[in-house]
Amino acid sequence: MPETALAGTDELVVLVDDDGRELGTAAKASVHHEKTPLHLGFSCYVFDAEGRVLMTRRALGKRTWPGVWTNSFCGHPAPGEAVMDAVHRRARQELGLSIDGPTCVLPDYRYRAVAADGTVENELCPVFCTTAAGPVRPVPNEVMDHAWVPWAELRTAAALRWAISPWAAEQIPLLEAATYTDRGPNSSVSSAKPSR
């Protein structure tokens, strides 16, 4: 794993163009502002054996969307790090969680969202689904609360839009359209991999 993946405030993100081609890197601490450049990220939805989804509430110390309920976890691949490796790394770093078989369900998802304070998120953000392979042990400076939620409740929260993060509100109906079963998105339906 690249050293920058664990460097905290020195963490680097990968800047990309509209076609997903790498343009360079920038310090994560410097990219989230009113003119956030497009960069590579990812989102992941963790399911349990009963088909419930792990939702997390972002810690109050987070730079973007502090205290907001969102998907299981998000992150940024480090320069030279495969997105799949970054998904496993962030599951451990944020949730102390091992995961089984992440599958990229929405490889080309992209979003731009503006927070109340003017901070912009601007990401090319492949979306993964996976299953938990152990207990959740959230890291307090990343996650202040968590809950296992039935898919129907997520659908309701996404429709309200203000109840969860803007990216989760967009991703949930897209996941449902792409892979829905009676127990929520089925990560085995898609074997698509992000091209980045």
Side-chain angles (χ1 to χ4, degrees):
M1 166 178 359
E3 186 176 318
T4 55
L6 300 174
T9 57
D10 296 331
E11 182 179 347
L12 296 176
V13 298
V14 177
L15 304 178
V16 294
D17 67 14
D18 287 334
D19 295 318
R21 291 183 296 253
E22 291 187 22
L23 297 175
T25 62
K28 178 182 170 184
S30 73
V31 297
H32 295 104
H33 45 69
E34 294 79 12
K35 296 181 181 177
T36 300
L38 183 62
H39 58 281
L40 185 58
F42 64 84
S43 289
C44 190
Y45 291 75
V46 178
F47 290 79
D48 70 6
E50 297 162 26
R52 298 176 303 172
V53 182
L54 178 65
M55 295 295 285
T56 59
R57 188 172 178 206
R58 294 168 63 83
L60 293 177
K62 293 285 234 180
R63 171 74 178 99
T64 58
W65 279 267
V68 172
W69 282 93
T70 192
N71 57 292
S72 306
F73 64 96
C74 300
H76 302 90
E81 182 182 31
V83 178
M84 188 70 75
D85 291 342
V87 171
H88 282 279
R89 172 177 56 82
R90 287 303 293 169
R92 290 188 305 272
Q93 287 178 331
E94 286 195 30
L95 300 169
L97 178 66
S98 294
I99 54 176
D100 281 333
T103 299
C104 187
V105 179
L106 302 174
D108 299 316
Y109 177 74
R110 178 179 171 177
Y111 77 100
R112 184 178 185 280
V114 183
D117 68 356
T119 301
V120 173
E121 263 295 8
N122 187 18
E123 289 189 350
L124 185 58
C125 182
V127 181
F128 291 78
C129 290
T130 190
T131 54
V136 178
R137 297 182 191 94
V139 176
N141 66 342
E142 296 283 355
V143 175
M144 65 184 294
D145 200 0
H146 70 283
W148 290 100
V149 180
W151 185 259
E153 291 182 22
L154 288 189
R155 189 184 311 122
T156 299
L160 293 173
R161 302 205 63 84
W162 52 265
I164 57 177
S165 69
W167 58 90
E170 286 184 5
Q171 291 167 356
I172 288 165
L174 294 173
L175 286 170
E176 184 167 85
T179 66
Y180 188 76
T181 70
D182 62 347
R183 291 178 57 147
N186 180 348
S187 61
S188 67
V189 170
S190 171
S191 61
K193 300 287 186 258
S195 57
R196 292 157 281 287

